[in-house]
């Protein structure tokens, strides 16, 4: 790796050989939140790998907008490509516009109303199965919701439950292993240890299953009006090379399934976590839900009137952005702030870091949905990044926001959330920011009415 400019300050606490790896592994969010104290650009070392962390929102925005100079790459790309392939999330700038254009029809705003109906049905099927006084293990419960939603949206009703269960299991195994494999030396990740064997087995089986699903759909010749049909139709119009098309579709399906299950379930779990700790805000949400819905299930057209719910979700994404740390590679020498970055440099971006800056947000660690009221000052450009930014901003942003708001509203229409004494959240070190160990009690709001 090209050595970075010596003028860029290095974060304190680096140790020989491992650099900043120990504080990053032990308390990554505390470590990141303290970096702006040392400058707008701060160099860190994770073992033998170096990166410049961008701590300024304006410079962060510059990096995200100039995706040619700051191309997809860095610490995680090699591992992500092991199982996501050359997808819209992992491909370089030269391929990105083309791949995004192919995926765009699947996420066209006109489809959202249909997706919302699917979401409502699947969310209610899980939530209606809870009972008053039940203590939820929130993260797996939210994952059940998002996997059912995205399974129905991606495959309609064509995928047997057993196959969907296998896909979800393999996705989880590969997703969970990615971050750890990134930080380990390459030689360790190649050893036949149990975790590596599980990762490789899940990755191989996932691809085999996806290829079989696509082959079956192609043989049927039926357009089911789902995400898979939209993706296949768009790719078919672009190429005559059938094997290449199906590989590209497989990459897209795996990528969107991860984003639509793992990251969305993390966001929803955090929403419930903060709401349970703020009963006054939960009461505002209940009042809005009761006034807008009057006891019925929400529809897509209701979303514009569910403003409290929307602000709760936005504020939660500010505090706990699922994509909390990602990297880019410098493809041409460039000035960034007062420093010059040579070709090959790795820059790291952290929405979590930016969202917690006190000069951008009053009391940045406080949960305050009303900071997103229209009359309150808008956040400066580049200071709210839960879905990234620039040309590589998450293509499923509207889908994800719709799902999380609908899930929150359906839950709030029936259930009240209660924290458990001694609650202690332990976010594991993962690609996505997850409230590990979160348990909440649900109480039926209708009891005693």
């Amino acid at each position: 790796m090209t050595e970075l400019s010596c003028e860029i300050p290095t974060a304190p606490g680096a140790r020989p050989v491992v650099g900043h790896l120990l504080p990053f592994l032990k308390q990554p969010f505390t470590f990141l939140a303290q970096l702006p104290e040392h400058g707008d650009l701060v160099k860190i070392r994770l073992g033998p790998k170096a990166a410049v962390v961008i701590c300024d929102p304006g410079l962060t925005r510059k990096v995200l907008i100039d995706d040619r100079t700051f191309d997809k790459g860095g610490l995680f790309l090699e591992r992500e490509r092991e199982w996501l392939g050359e997808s819209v999330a992992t491909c370089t700038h030269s391929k990105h516009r083309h791949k995004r254009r192919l995926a765009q029809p699947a996420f066209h705003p006109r489809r959202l109303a249909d997706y919302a109906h699917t979401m409502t049905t699947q969310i209610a099927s899980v939530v209606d199965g809870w009972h008053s006084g039940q203590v939820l293990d929130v993260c797996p419960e939210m994952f059940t919701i998002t996997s059912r939603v995205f399974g129905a949206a991606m495959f309609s009703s064509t995928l047997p439950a057993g196959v969907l269960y296998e896909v979800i299991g393999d996705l989880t195994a590969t997703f969970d292993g990615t971050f750890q494999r990134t930080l380990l030396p390459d030689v360790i990740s190649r050893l036949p240890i149990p975790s590596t064997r599980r990762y490789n087995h899940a990755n191989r089986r996932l691809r085999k299953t996806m290829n079989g699903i696509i082959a079956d759909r192609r043989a049927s010749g039926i357009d089911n009006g789902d995400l898979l049909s939209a993706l296949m139709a768009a790719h078919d119009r672009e190429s005559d090379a059938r094997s290449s098309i199906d590989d590209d579709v497989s990459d897209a399906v795996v990528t969107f399934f991860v984003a639509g299950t793992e990251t969305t379930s993390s966001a929803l779990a955090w929403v419930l976590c903060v709401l349970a700790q703020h009963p006054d805000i939960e009461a505002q949400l209940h009042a809005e839900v009761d006034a807008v819905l009057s006891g019925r299930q929400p529809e897509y057209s209701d979303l514009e009137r569910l403003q409290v719910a929307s602000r709760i979700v936005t504020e939660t994404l500010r505090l706990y952005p699922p994509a909390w740390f990602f990297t880019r590679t410098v493809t041409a020498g460039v000035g960034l702030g007062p420093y010059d970055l040579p070709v090959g440099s790795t820059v790291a971006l952290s929405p979590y870091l930016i969202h917690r800056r006190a000069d951008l947000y009053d009391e940045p660690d406080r949960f305050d949905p009303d900071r997103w009221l229209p009359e309150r000052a808008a956040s400066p450009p580049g200071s709210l990044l839960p879905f990234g930014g620039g040309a590589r901003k998450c293509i499923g942003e509207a889908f994800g926001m719709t799902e999380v708001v609908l899930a929150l509203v359906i839950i709030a229409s029936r259930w009240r959330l209660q924290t458990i004494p001694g609650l202690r959240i332990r976010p594991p070190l993962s690609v996505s920011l997850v409230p590990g160990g979160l348990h909440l009690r649900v109480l039926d709001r209708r009891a005693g009415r």
Side-chain angles (χ1 to χ4, degrees):
M1 178 180 294
T2 303
E3 184 65 23
L4 302 174
S5 169
C6 62
E7 297 179 355
I8 298 176
T10 297
R15 297 185 179 182
V17 182
V18 297
H20 301 93
L21 189 59
L22 295 180
F24 188 82
L25 291 174
K26 187 176 181 180
Q27 293 183 311
F29 309 111
T30 300
F31 174 73
L32 287 172
Q34 294 173 347
L35 291 182
E37 299 173 8
H38 309 290
D40 291 340
L41 278 71
V42 182
K43 186 165 69 172
I44 65 172
R45 289 190 177 275
L46 303 177
K49 302 172 183 178
V52 172
V53 181
I54 313 301
C55 303
D56 175 77
L59 297 179
T60 297
R61 185 168 181 264
K62 179 178 179 179
V63 169
L64 291 173
I65 290 176
D66 187 1
D67 61 320
R68 182 188 297 273
T69 303
F70 300 97
D71 205 353
K72 190 74 177 185
L75 304 179
F76 304 104
L77 184 63
E78 182 179 347
R79 297 305 182 205
E80 289 176 346
R81 282 180 175 164
E82 288 177 353
W83 60 296
L84 297 180
E86 283 281 341
S87 71
V88 68
T90 59
C91 68
T92 56
H93 175 273
S94 62
K95 300 178 181 179
H96 179 256
R97 299 298 193 275
H98 173 69
K99 289 184 179 292
R100 190 176 178 99
R101 187 177 71 251
L102 293 179
Q104 200 70 55
F107 295 95
H108 195 281
R110 287 196 301 267
R111 289 178 170 265
L112 274 178
D114 291 336
Y115 291 151
H117 178 73
T118 298
M119 292 172 185
T120 299
T121 301
Q122 295 300 325
I123 293 165
S125 71
V126 176
V127 171
D128 289 348
W130 298 347
H131 61 266
S132 192
Q134 178 180 355
V135 175
L136 299 178
D137 188 351
V138 175
C139 289
E141 197 72 11
M142 296 306 101
F143 184 77
T144 297
I145 288 175
T146 59
S147 60
R148 287 190 184 183
V149 166
F150 209 82
M154 177 63 75
F155 304 114
S156 59
S157 60
T158 63
L159 203 62
V163 176
L164 180 59
Y165 180 81
E166 183 179 280
V167 167
I168 292 169
D170 290 340
L171 279 169
T172 301
T174 49
F175 184 87
D176 289 346
T178 298
F179 203 91
Q180 289 79 2
R181 286 168 64 84
T182 297
L183 298 178
L184 290 174
D186 291 341
V187 64
I188 295 179
S189 66
R190 290 194 294 267
L191 294 175
I193 56 180
S195 60
T196 298
R197 290 200 299 268
R198 285 194 299 271
Y199 175 91
N200 290 334
H201 172 72
N203 196 13
R204 287 192 297 267
R205 189 170 68 172
L206 177 63
R207 282 299 172 165
K208 182 178 179 180
T209 302
M210 284 298 175
N211 290 338
I213 291 169
I214 293 168
D216 290 344
R217 177 65 65 88
R218 192 172 294 287
S220 75
I222 299 173
D223 185 336
N224 290 283
D226 51 23
L227 279 167
L228 179 58
S229 292
L231 289 169
M232 292 178 66
H235 282 76
D236 285 351
R237 288 192 294 268
E238 292 285 330
S239 175
D240 296 325
R242 183 67 65 207
S243 61
S244 175
I245 291 174
D246 288 351
D247 286 343
D248 287 346
V249 173
S250 179
D251 291 345
V253 170
V254 172
T255 296
F256 295 141
F257 216 106
V258 170
T261 54
E262 293 281 358
T263 57
T264 307
S265 66
S266 299
L268 185 53
W270 280 115
V271 168
L272 300 191
C273 177
V274 295
L275 200 60
Q277 297 175 68
H278 295 83
D280 56 329
I281 297 174
E282 184 185 43
Q284 295 176 34
L285 174 64
H286 289 163
E288 176 181 81
V289 168
D290 294 345
V292 172
L293 301 182
S294 300
R296 62 176 173 80
Q297 293 283 29
E299 300 175 355
Y300 182 67
S301 58
D302 294 317
L303 292 178
E304 63 183 15
R305 293 191 292 158
L306 294 164
Q307 292 300 309
V308 173
S310 179
R311 291 197 297 272
I312 287 171
V313 172
T314 299
E315 177 69 348
T316 303
L317 289 172
R318 182 190 69 83
L319 285 171
Y320 305 105
W324 59 279
F325 187 83
F326 51 93
T327 58
R328 296 287 187 262
T329 295
V330 176
T331 61
V334 63
L336 195 62
Y339 305 109
D340 291 325
L341 298 180
V343 174
S345 302
T346 295
V347 297
L349 307 174
S350 174
Y352 183 94
L353 180 159
I354 298 296
H355 294 174
R356 300 279 180 147
R357 288 191 58 136
D359 57 338
L360 299 178
Y361 297 100
D362 293 335
E363 300 181 84
D365 295 330
R366 184 167 68 91
F367 177 64
D368 178 18
D370 283 350
R371 73 172 79 240
W372 302 106
L373 285 166
E375 59 268 25
R376 298 271 292 267
S379 59
S383 63
L384 186 66
L385 307 164
F387 298 96
R392 300 198 80 123
K393 189 176 186 180
C394 177
I395 195 173
E397 175 184 3
F399 185 103
M401 281 293 292
T402 298
E403 181 180 357
V404 175
V405 172
L406 285 174
L408 172 61
V409 167
I410 291 171
I411 292 169
S413 66
R414 178 166 177 183
W415 303 102
R416 182 163 55 87
L417 306 170
Q418 189 177 72
T419 58
I420 306 300
L423 175 66
R424 184 179 178 187
I425 308 301
R426 301 179 181 86
L429 194 61
S430 176
V431 175
S432 185
L433 179 54
V434 181
L438 176 61
H439 291 77
L440 297 175
R441 180 176 284 107
V442 290
L443 301 173
D444 195 337
R445 291 183 60 213
R446 300 172 300 183
R449 289 185 182 178

